[in-house]
Amino acid sequence: MTSSLFRPFGFVLFLLCVAEPTASGQTVAHYSGNGGLQGGFTEARESALQSRRSVWFGFSVDRMSWDNSYFGREDDEPSLSDVVFGRTAVPVEEDVRTAARNEIDRLEGNRSQQKVHRPVALLLSVGSHGDLQKVKISDMDRPVELDGDPLFWGGTTSQDEAAEFAGRIRQSSEVAAVREDAVTFVGLLDESERAKAVLADALSEDRSDDVRKQAVFWIGKRGTADALSVVLKTVRSDQSEDVRAHAVFVLSRFDRDDTIDLLLDVARSAKSDQVAGAASFWAGRLLSKKLFGDEGSDDEMDRVRKQALYALVGDPDESVGVLVDLARNGSSSGVRRQAVFMLGQSHSAEALDALKSLAARGR
């Protein structure tokens, strides 16, 4: 498949002419044209063709992320930002002190759950024949292995332009892994209106189940009413049973009062055992958490009781009555929690009725 992404603007040997090694030893050229990301990528591709060697094209996008959430590896190598802008790495002893402070905060429960400014980069490896080989996603403050190939840097762009460009990558590539990574990158652009349309296109038209799974995951992560509608449609009508079951998991991540009821409705109506089973399972998990909290007892007697419960019940489909009684009247919260969880593993209408009743009682 060919798209406008690969149409030449005229032969430019930009990398060959102006690229110079930075202090880190990495060869970097900064695109200075007015063709945007598409123009920069085209020049990088033409340079790869002329030099008959692989090159990287990359750019960054400003975004906010949780302070304990990262893309990329962590070691004492220079960060991508250091490489691109020629800075030297932070001294190792400072990295150690920062890491130590972060670990102390984590152990003491002081790590804040807040969003911080953390630009992220998309890096595309273009082969010597002009083919797109692979994609890497990394925060700018993390090191990236570039295999010794020159880097053509397109600068910092808006989230909308980045989403549009990554969407074209997804449309033009024959490599499913490249398309999947492009969709993941678009999913990170949660302030972009264009990103929503790009994800919707990937979900509706991509032939790869893995790509559509990524698309529905990032759509669902937005948590809006529109996103819920798309996820429910995917649960009902995607051509792949695996994608429909994955969409059930995405549905379970919605922080809504009616999420358990929605899952139970899917468990009743789904024609696929895999999809119905996934919906029942996640309904049981969510209900167990809702009724008993995140953590169960570590008491040794509780563990013995739960093991005995498995031995007593056997097949959840054949022991719904016992499980319902234990969920309501079990001798400990650990046993009641386990009974609810096991009800979620049953596909019977009786088990779904019991879960719905328990959910209503827990409100």
Side-chain angles (χ1 to χ4, degrees), residues 263-296:
L263 288 166
L264 291 173
D265 290 343
V266 172
R268 290 178 186 280
S269 62
K271 297 178 181 178
S272 158
D273 286 344
Q274 180 181 350
V275 175
S280 179
F281 171 84
W282 286 110
R285 285 286 296 270
L286 290 181
L287 181 55
S288 177
K289 179 179 178 180
K290 178 179 181 179
L291 295 178
F292 306 109
D294 288 325
E295 301 295 335

PDB file of all heavy atoms in Angstrom, residues 263-296:
ATOM      1  N   LEU A 263     -21.550  -5.529  32.307  1.00  0.00           N
ATOM      2  CA  LEU A 263     -20.845  -6.791  32.094  1.00  0.00           C
ATOM      3  C   LEU A 263     -21.791  -7.977  32.216  1.00  0.00           C
ATOM      4  O   LEU A 263     -21.721  -8.937  31.430  1.00  0.00           O
ATOM      5  CB  LEU A 263     -19.705  -6.922  33.106  1.00  0.00           C
ATOM      6  CG  LEU A 263     -18.499  -6.012  32.874  1.00  0.00           C
ATOM      7  CD1 LEU A 263     -17.608  -5.992  34.118  1.00  0.00           C
ATOM      8  CD2 LEU A 263     -17.700  -6.468  31.656  1.00  0.00           C
ATOM      9  N   LEU A 264     -22.695  -7.925  33.176  1.00  0.00           N
ATOM     10  CA  LEU A 264     -23.649  -9.026  33.341  1.00  0.00           C
ATOM     11  C   LEU A 264     -24.601  -9.101  32.144  1.00  0.00           C
ATOM     12  O   LEU A 264     -24.986 -10.196  31.712  1.00  0.00           O
ATOM     13  CB  LEU A 264     -24.434  -8.844  34.642  1.00  0.00           C
ATOM     14  CG  LEU A 264     -23.617  -9.042  35.928  1.00  0.00           C
ATOM     15  CD1 LEU A 264     -24.446  -8.674  37.150  1.00  0.00           C
ATOM     16  CD2 LEU A 264     -23.122 -10.480  36.040  1.00  0.00           C
ATOM     17  N   ASP A 265     -24.980  -7.947  31.603  1.00  0.00           N
ATOM     18  CA  ASP A 265     -25.812  -7.940  30.394  1.00  0.00           C
ATOM     19  C   ASP A 265     -25.078  -8.601  29.234  1.00  0.00           C
ATOM     20  O   ASP A 265     -25.663  -9.372  28.460  1.00  0.00           O
ATOM     21  CB  ASP A 265     -26.194  -6.505  30.017  1.00  0.00           C
ATOM     22  CG  ASP A 265     -27.187  -5.882  30.985  1.00  0.00           C
ATOM     23  OD1 ASP A 265     -27.816  -6.639  31.748  1.00  0.00           O
ATOM     24  OD2 ASP A 265     -27.308  -4.641  30.982  1.00  0.00           O
ATOM     25  N   VAL A 266     -23.780  -8.308  29.093  1.00  0.00           N
ATOM     26  CA  VAL A 266     -22.986  -8.942  28.031  1.00  0.00           C
ATOM     27  C   VAL A 266     -22.896 -10.445  28.269  1.00  0.00           C
ATOM     28  O   VAL A 266     -23.028 -11.243  27.338  1.00  0.00           O
ATOM     29  CB  VAL A 266     -21.576  -8.321  27.973  1.00  0.00           C
ATOM     30  CG1 VAL A 266     -20.681  -9.102  27.011  1.00  0.00           C
ATOM     31  CG2 VAL A 266     -21.653  -6.861  27.546  1.00  0.00           C
ATOM     32  N   ALA A 267     -22.687 -10.836  29.524  1.00  0.00           N
ATOM     33  CA  ALA A 267     -22.576 -12.262  29.842  1.00  0.00           C
ATOM     34  C   ALA A 267     -23.847 -13.017  29.481  1.00  0.00           C
ATOM     35  O   ALA A 267     -23.799 -14.182  29.067  1.00  0.00           O
ATOM     36  CB  ALA A 267     -22.259 -12.433  31.324  1.00  0.00           C
ATOM     37  N   ARG A 268     -24.997 -12.352  29.611  1.00  0.00           N
ATOM     38  CA  ARG A 268     -26.267 -13.003  29.273  1.00  0.00           C
ATOM     39  C   ARG A 268     -26.502 -13.066  27.761  1.00  0.00           C
ATOM     40  O   ARG A 268     -27.047 -14.049  27.257  1.00  0.00           O
ATOM     41  CB  ARG A 268     -27.426 -12.237  29.913  1.00  0.00           C
ATOM     42  CG  ARG A 268     -27.512 -12.330  31.408  1.00  0.00           C
ATOM     43  CD  ARG A 268     -28.679 -11.493  31.911  1.00  0.00           C
ATOM     44  NE  ARG A 268     -28.729 -11.432  33.348  1.00  0.00           N
ATOM     45  CZ  ARG A 268     -29.221 -12.382  34.140  1.00  0.00           C
ATOM     46  NH1 ARG A 268     -29.695 -13.485  33.587  1.00  0.00           N
ATOM     47  NH2 ARG A 268     -29.232 -12.237  35.443  1.00  0.00           N
ATOM     48  N   SER A 269     -26.101 -12.017  27.059  1.00  0.00           N
ATOM     49  CA  SER A 269     -26.500 -11.888  25.658  1.00  0.00           C
ATOM     50  C   SER A 269     -25.470 -12.376  24.656  1.00  0.00           C
ATOM     51  O   SER A 269     -25.818 -12.660  23.506  1.00  0.00           O
ATOM     52  CB  SER A 269     -26.842 -10.426  25.350  1.00  0.00           C
ATOM     53  OG  SER A 269     -25.708  -9.593  25.550  1.00  0.00           O
ATOM     54  N   ALA A 270     -24.214 -12.482  25.059  1.00  0.00           N
ATOM     55  CA  ALA A 270     -23.162 -12.846  24.108  1.00  0.00           C
ATOM     56  C   ALA A 270     -23.373 -14.261  23.586  1.00  0.00           C
ATOM     57  O   ALA A 270     -23.654 -15.192  24.350  1.00  0.00           O
ATOM     58  CB  ALA A 270     -21.793 -12.720  24.768  1.00  0.00           C
ATOM     59  N   LYS A 271     -23.236 -14.439  22.276  1.00  0.00           N
ATOM     60  CA  LYS A 271     -23.381 -15.755  21.669  1.00  0.00           C
ATOM     61  C   LYS A 271     -22.097 -16.575  21.762  1.00  0.00           C
ATOM     62  O   LYS A 271     -22.117 -17.794  21.602  1.00  0.00           O
ATOM     63  CB  LYS A 271     -23.799 -15.599  20.209  1.00  0.00           C
ATOM     64  CG  LYS A 271     -25.170 -14.932  20.054  1.00  0.00           C
ATOM     65  CD  LYS A 271     -25.535 -14.753  18.585  1.00  0.00           C
ATOM     66  CE  LYS A 271     -26.890 -14.062  18.445  1.00  0.00           C
ATOM     67  NZ  LYS A 271     -27.258 -13.828  17.021  1.00  0.00           N
ATOM     68  N   SER A 272     -20.992 -15.898  21.997  1.00  0.00           N
ATOM     69  CA  SER A 272     -19.696 -16.564  22.120  1.00  0.00           C
ATOM     70  C   SER A 272     -19.435 -16.933  23.568  1.00  0.00           C
ATOM     71  O   SER A 272     -19.549 -16.087  24.471  1.00  0.00           O
ATOM     72  CB  SER A 272     -18.584 -15.633  21.611  1.00  0.00           C
ATOM     73  OG  SER A 272     -17.336 -15.986  22.146  1.00  0.00           O
ATOM     74  N   ASP A 273     -19.055 -18.183  23.833  1.00  0.00           N
ATOM     75  CA  ASP A 273     -18.708 -18.602  25.187  1.00  0.00           C
ATOM     76  C   ASP A 273     -17.506 -17.822  25.709  1.00  0.00           C
ATOM     77  O   ASP A 273     -17.427 -17.510  26.900  1.00  0.00           O
ATOM     78  CB  ASP A 273     -18.395 -20.102  25.215  1.00  0.00           C
ATOM     79  CG  ASP A 273     -19.638 -20.959  25.096  1.00  0.00           C
ATOM     80  OD1 ASP A 273     -20.747 -20.430  25.301  1.00  0.00           O
ATOM     81  OD2 ASP A 273     -19.506 -22.164  24.792  1.00  0.00           O
ATOM     82  N   GLN A 274     -16.558 -17.525  24.821  1.00  0.00           N
ATOM     83  CA  GLN A 274     -15.363 -16.793  25.243  1.00  0.00           C
ATOM     84  C   GLN A 274     -15.731 -15.394  25.723  1.00  0.00           C
ATOM     85  O   GLN A 274     -15.241 -14.930  26.757  1.00  0.00           O
ATOM     86  CB  GLN A 274     -14.354 -16.703  24.097  1.00  0.00           C
ATOM     87  CG  GLN A 274     -13.077 -15.953  24.454  1.00  0.00           C
ATOM     88  CD  GLN A 274     -12.102 -15.850  23.282  1.00  0.00           C
ATOM     89  OE1 GLN A 274     -12.292 -16.485  22.253  1.00  0.00           O
ATOM     90  NE2 GLN A 274     -11.065 -15.043  23.439  1.00  0.00           N
ATOM     91  N   VAL A 275     -16.607 -14.720  24.990  1.00  0.00           N
ATOM     92  CA  VAL A 275     -17.004 -13.362  25.353  1.00  0.00           C
ATOM     93  C   VAL A 275     -17.871 -13.385  26.606  1.00  0.00           C
ATOM     94  O   VAL A 275     -17.669 -12.585  27.529  1.00  0.00           O
ATOM     95  CB  VAL A 275     -17.744 -12.692  24.185  1.00  0.00           C
ATOM     96  CG1 VAL A 275     -18.277 -11.324  24.595  1.00  0.00           C
ATOM     97  CG2 VAL A 275     -16.821 -12.555  22.981  1.00  0.00           C
ATOM     98  N   ALA A 276     -18.829 -14.300  26.661  1.00  0.00           N
ATOM     99  CA  ALA A 276     -19.692 -14.404  27.840  1.00  0.00           C
ATOM    100  C   ALA A 276     -18.876 -14.747  29.081  1.00  0.00           C
ATOM    101  O   ALA A 276     -19.100 -14.195  30.167  1.00  0.00           O
ATOM    102  CB  ALA A 276     -20.766 -15.463  27.605  1.00  0.00           C
ATOM    103  N   GLY A 277     -17.926 -15.669  28.930  1.00  0.00           N
ATOM    104  CA  GLY A 277     -17.094 -16.050  30.059  1.00  0.00           C
ATOM    105  C   GLY A 277     -16.238 -14.892  30.549  1.00  0.00           C
ATOM    106  O   GLY A 277     -16.069 -14.701  31.758  1.00  0.00           O
ATOM    107  N   ALA A 278     -15.691 -14.101  29.615  1.00  0.00           N
ATOM    108  CA  ALA A 278     -14.887 -12.938  30.003  1.00  0.00           C
ATOM    109  C   ALA A 278     -15.738 -11.923  30.761  1.00  0.00           C
ATOM    110  O   ALA A 278     -15.306 -11.357  31.778  1.00  0.00           O
ATOM    111  CB  ALA A 278     -14.256 -12.298  28.772  1.00  0.00           C
ATOM    112  N   ALA A 279     -16.964 -11.694  30.284  1.00  0.00           N
ATOM    113  CA  ALA A 279     -17.845 -10.732  30.941  1.00  0.00           C
ATOM    114  C   ALA A 279     -18.222 -11.194  32.343  1.00  0.00           C
ATOM    115  O   ALA A 279     -18.214 -10.410  33.304  1.00  0.00           O
ATOM    116  CB  ALA A 279     -19.104 -10.518  30.097  1.00  0.00           C
ATOM    117  N   SER A 280     -18.542 -12.478  32.479  1.00  0.00           N
ATOM    118  CA  SER A 280     -18.882 -13.021  33.791  1.00  0.00           C
ATOM    119  C   SER A 280     -17.689 -12.955  34.741  1.00  0.00           C
ATOM    120  O   SER A 280     -17.823 -12.597  35.919  1.00  0.00           O
ATOM    121  CB  SER A 280     -19.352 -14.474  33.630  1.00  0.00           C
ATOM    122  OG  SER A 280     -19.662 -15.052  34.879  1.00  0.00           O
ATOM    123  N   PHE A 281     -16.510 -13.294  34.226  1.00  0.00           N
ATOM    124  CA  PHE A 281     -15.301 -13.270  35.047  1.00  0.00           C
ATOM    125  C   PHE A 281     -15.041 -11.871  35.595  1.00  0.00           C
ATOM    126  O   PHE A 281     -14.805 -11.692  36.806  1.00  0.00           O
ATOM    127  CB  PHE A 281     -14.110 -13.743  34.209  1.00  0.00           C
ATOM    128  CG  PHE A 281     -12.782 -13.563  34.879  1.00  0.00           C
ATOM    129  CD1 PHE A 281     -12.309 -14.508  35.762  1.00  0.00           C
ATOM    130  CD2 PHE A 281     -11.998 -12.440  34.612  1.00  0.00           C
ATOM    131  CE1 PHE A 281     -11.075 -14.342  36.395  1.00  0.00           C
ATOM    132  CE2 PHE A 281     -10.765 -12.281  35.236  1.00  0.00           C
ATOM    133  CZ  PHE A 281     -10.308 -13.231  36.130  1.00  0.00           C
ATOM    134  N   TRP A 282     -15.076 -10.856  34.723  1.00  0.00           N
ATOM    135  CA  TRP A 282     -14.764  -9.502  35.170  1.00  0.00           C
ATOM    136  C   TRP A 282     -15.862  -8.940  36.060  1.00  0.00           C
ATOM    137  O   TRP A 282     -15.585  -8.153  36.979  1.00  0.00           O
ATOM    138  CB  TRP A 282     -14.497  -8.589  33.981  1.00  0.00           C
ATOM    139  CG  TRP A 282     -13.168  -8.868  33.361  1.00  0.00           C
ATOM    140  CD1 TRP A 282     -12.909  -9.439  32.151  1.00  0.00           C
ATOM    141  CD2 TRP A 282     -11.889  -8.627  33.965  1.00  0.00           C
ATOM    142  NE1 TRP A 282     -11.569  -9.575  31.948  1.00  0.00           N
ATOM    143  CE2 TRP A 282     -10.905  -9.081  33.043  1.00  0.00           C
ATOM    144  CE3 TRP A 282     -11.484  -8.078  35.170  1.00  0.00           C
ATOM    145  CZ2 TRP A 282      -9.550  -9.000  33.321  1.00  0.00           C
ATOM    146  CZ3 TRP A 282     -10.129  -7.991  35.447  1.00  0.00           C
ATOM    147  CH2 TRP A 282      -9.180  -8.447  34.524  1.00  0.00           C
ATOM    148  N   ALA A 283     -17.098  -9.350  35.833  1.00  0.00           N
ATOM    149  CA  ALA A 283     -18.170  -8.929  36.742  1.00  0.00           C
ATOM    150  C   ALA A 283     -17.912  -9.468  38.143  1.00  0.00           C
ATOM    151  O   ALA A 283     -18.074  -8.754  39.145  1.00  0.00           O
ATOM    152  CB  ALA A 283     -19.523  -9.421  36.222  1.00  0.00           C
ATOM    153  N   GLY A 284     -17.498 -10.751  38.233  1.00  0.00           N
ATOM    154  CA  GLY A 284     -17.181 -11.333  39.531  1.00  0.00           C
ATOM    155  C   GLY A 284     -16.014 -10.643  40.210  1.00  0.00           C
ATOM    156  O   GLY A 284     -16.038 -10.390  41.424  1.00  0.00           O
ATOM    157  N   ARG A 285     -14.972 -10.327  39.421  1.00  0.00           N
ATOM    158  CA  ARG A 285     -13.814  -9.649  39.985  1.00  0.00           C
ATOM    159  C   ARG A 285     -14.189  -8.274  40.535  1.00  0.00           C
ATOM    160  O   ARG A 285     -13.781  -7.898  41.636  1.00  0.00           O
ATOM    161  CB  ARG A 285     -12.733  -9.498  38.907  1.00  0.00           C
ATOM    162  CG  ARG A 285     -11.979 -10.762  38.586  1.00  0.00           C
ATOM    163  CD  ARG A 285     -10.995 -11.135  39.693  1.00  0.00           C
ATOM    164  NE  ARG A 285      -9.955 -10.148  39.860  1.00  0.00           N
ATOM    165  CZ  ARG A 285      -8.790 -10.164  39.213  1.00  0.00           C
ATOM    166  NH1 ARG A 285      -8.546 -11.134  38.336  1.00  0.00           N
ATOM    167  NH2 ARG A 285      -7.891  -9.249  39.424  1.00  0.00           N
ATOM    168  N   LEU A 286     -14.940  -7.506  39.727  1.00  0.00           N
ATOM    169  CA  LEU A 286     -15.317  -6.160  40.164  1.00  0.00           C
ATOM    170  C   LEU A 286     -16.235  -6.195  41.380  1.00  0.00           C
ATOM    171  O   LEU A 286     -16.122  -5.366  42.288  1.00  0.00           O
ATOM    172  CB  LEU A 286     -15.989  -5.404  39.020  1.00  0.00           C
ATOM    173  CG  LEU A 286     -15.100  -4.998  37.842  1.00  0.00           C
ATOM    174  CD1 LEU A 286     -15.921  -4.243  36.803  1.00  0.00           C
ATOM    175  CD2 LEU A 286     -13.936  -4.127  38.302  1.00  0.00           C
ATOM    176  N   LEU A 287     -17.160  -7.157  41.389  1.00  0.00           N
ATOM    177  CA  LEU A 287     -18.082  -7.248  42.515  1.00  0.00           C
ATOM    178  C   LEU A 287     -17.334  -7.646  43.789  1.00  0.00           C
ATOM    179  O   LEU A 287     -17.605  -7.115  44.871  1.00  0.00           O
ATOM    180  CB  LEU A 287     -19.182  -8.266  42.209  1.00  0.00           C
ATOM    181  CG  LEU A 287     -20.234  -8.449  43.304  1.00  0.00           C
ATOM    182  CD1 LEU A 287     -20.875  -7.111  43.667  1.00  0.00           C
ATOM    183  CD2 LEU A 287     -21.300  -9.445  42.849  1.00  0.00           C
ATOM    184  N   SER A 288     -16.386  -8.578  43.668  1.00  0.00           N
ATOM    185  CA  SER A 288     -15.585  -8.967  44.818  1.00  0.00           C
ATOM    186  C   SER A 288     -14.839  -7.763  45.387  1.00  0.00           C
ATOM    187  O   SER A 288     -14.794  -7.554  46.607  1.00  0.00           O
ATOM    188  CB  SER A 288     -14.603 -10.066  44.407  1.00  0.00           C
ATOM    189  OG  SER A 288     -13.770 -10.429  45.476  1.00  0.00           O
ATOM    190  N   LYS A 289     -14.258  -6.965  44.505  1.00  0.00           N
ATOM    191  CA  LYS A 289     -13.543  -5.766  44.949  1.00  0.00           C
ATOM    192  C   LYS A 289     -14.501  -4.762  45.589  1.00  0.00           C
ATOM    193  O   LYS A 289     -14.185  -4.137  46.609  1.00  0.00           O
ATOM    194  CB  LYS A 289     -12.820  -5.131  43.761  1.00  0.00           C
ATOM    195  CG  LYS A 289     -12.071  -3.862  44.106  1.00  0.00           C
ATOM    196  CD  LYS A 289     -11.348  -3.305  42.886  1.00  0.00           C
ATOM    197  CE  LYS A 289     -10.630  -2.013  43.219  1.00  0.00           C
ATOM    198  NZ  LYS A 289      -9.916  -1.456  42.039  1.00  0.00           N
ATOM    199  N   LYS A 290     -15.669  -4.620  44.991  1.00  0.00           N
ATOM    200  CA  LYS A 290     -16.648  -3.658  45.499  1.00  0.00           C
ATOM    201  C   LYS A 290     -17.125  -4.043  46.900  1.00  0.00           C
ATOM    202  O   LYS A 290     -17.274  -3.189  47.784  1.00  0.00           O
ATOM    203  CB  LYS A 290     -17.843  -3.592  44.540  1.00  0.00           C
ATOM    204  CG  LYS A 290     -18.950  -2.663  44.978  1.00  0.00           C
ATOM    205  CD  LYS A 290     -20.060  -2.650  43.943  1.00  0.00           C
ATOM    206  CE  LYS A 290     -21.186  -1.705  44.360  1.00  0.00           C
ATOM    207  NZ  LYS A 290     -22.272  -1.674  43.350  1.00  0.00           N
ATOM    208  N   LEU A 291     -17.362  -5.333  47.116  1.00  0.00           N
ATOM    209  CA  LEU A 291     -17.905  -5.789  48.393  1.00  0.00           C
ATOM    210  C   LEU A 291     -16.841  -5.916  49.475  1.00  0.00           C
ATOM    211  O   LEU A 291     -17.123  -5.691  50.646  1.00  0.00           O
ATOM    212  CB  LEU A 291     -18.602  -7.137  48.208  1.00  0.00           C
ATOM    213  CG  LEU A 291     -19.851  -7.150  47.313  1.00  0.00           C
ATOM    214  CD1 LEU A 291     -20.381  -8.566  47.194  1.00  0.00           C
ATOM    215  CD2 LEU A 291     -20.926  -6.222  47.864  1.00  0.00           C
ATOM    216  N   PHE A 292     -15.620  -6.285  49.084  1.00  0.00           N
ATOM    217  CA  PHE A 292     -14.622  -6.644  50.089  1.00  0.00           C
ATOM    218  C   PHE A 292     -13.327  -5.839  50.010  1.00  0.00           C
ATOM    219  O   PHE A 292     -12.395  -6.101  50.763  1.00  0.00           O
ATOM    220  CB  PHE A 292     -14.291  -8.139  49.975  1.00  0.00           C
ATOM    221  CG  PHE A 292     -15.501  -9.016  50.043  1.00  0.00           C
ATOM    222  CD1 PHE A 292     -15.950  -9.678  48.921  1.00  0.00           C
ATOM    223  CD2 PHE A 292     -16.210  -9.157  51.227  1.00  0.00           C
ATOM    224  CE1 PHE A 292     -17.074 -10.493  48.970  1.00  0.00           C
ATOM    225  CE2 PHE A 292     -17.339  -9.964  51.291  1.00  0.00           C
ATOM    226  CZ  PHE A 292     -17.769 -10.627  50.162  1.00  0.00           C
ATOM    227  N   GLY A 293     -13.241  -4.898  49.076  1.00  0.00           N
ATOM    228  CA  GLY A 293     -12.030  -4.107  48.972  1.00  0.00           C
ATOM    229  C   GLY A 293     -10.975  -4.768  48.108  1.00  0.00           C
ATOM    230  O   GLY A 293     -11.186  -5.833  47.532  1.00  0.00           O
ATOM    231  N   ASP A 294      -9.802  -4.144  48.049  1.00  0.00           N
ATOM    232  CA  ASP A 294      -8.741  -4.609  47.156  1.00  0.00           C
ATOM    233  C   ASP A 294      -8.015  -5.836  47.668  1.00  0.00           C
ATOM    234  O   ASP A 294      -7.567  -6.670  46.901  1.00  0.00           O
ATOM    235  CB  ASP A 294      -7.715  -3.495  46.926  1.00  0.00           C
ATOM    236  CG  ASP A 294      -8.271  -2.399  46.043  1.00  0.00           C
ATOM    237  OD1 ASP A 294      -9.044  -2.720  45.126  1.00  0.00           O
ATOM    238  OD2 ASP A 294      -7.926  -1.229  46.278  1.00  0.00           O
ATOM    239  N   GLU A 295      -7.830  -5.929  48.952  1.00  0.00           N
ATOM    240  CA  GLU A 295      -6.970  -6.970  49.501  1.00  0.00           C
ATOM    241  C   GLU A 295      -7.767  -7.930  50.370  1.00  0.00           C
ATOM    242  O   GLU A 295      -8.656  -7.542  51.122  1.00  0.00           O
ATOM    243  CB  GLU A 295      -5.838  -6.350  50.343  1.00  0.00           C
ATOM    244  CG  GLU A 295      -4.963  -5.399  49.554  1.00  0.00           C
ATOM    245  CD  GLU A 295      -4.202  -6.099  48.448  1.00  0.00           C
ATOM    246  OE1 GLU A 295      -3.969  -7.313  48.563  1.00  0.00           O
ATOM    247  OE2 GLU A 295      -3.838  -5.426  47.472  1.00  0.00           O
ATOM    248  N   GLY A 296      -7.415  -9.199  50.275  1.00  0.00           N
ATOM    249  CA  GLY A 296      -8.005 -10.217  51.139  1.00  0.00           C
ATOM    250  C   GLY A 296      -7.136 -10.422  52.365  1.00  0.00           C
ATOM    251  O   GLY A 296      -6.040  -9.905  52.497  1.00  0.00           O
TER     252      GLY A 296
END
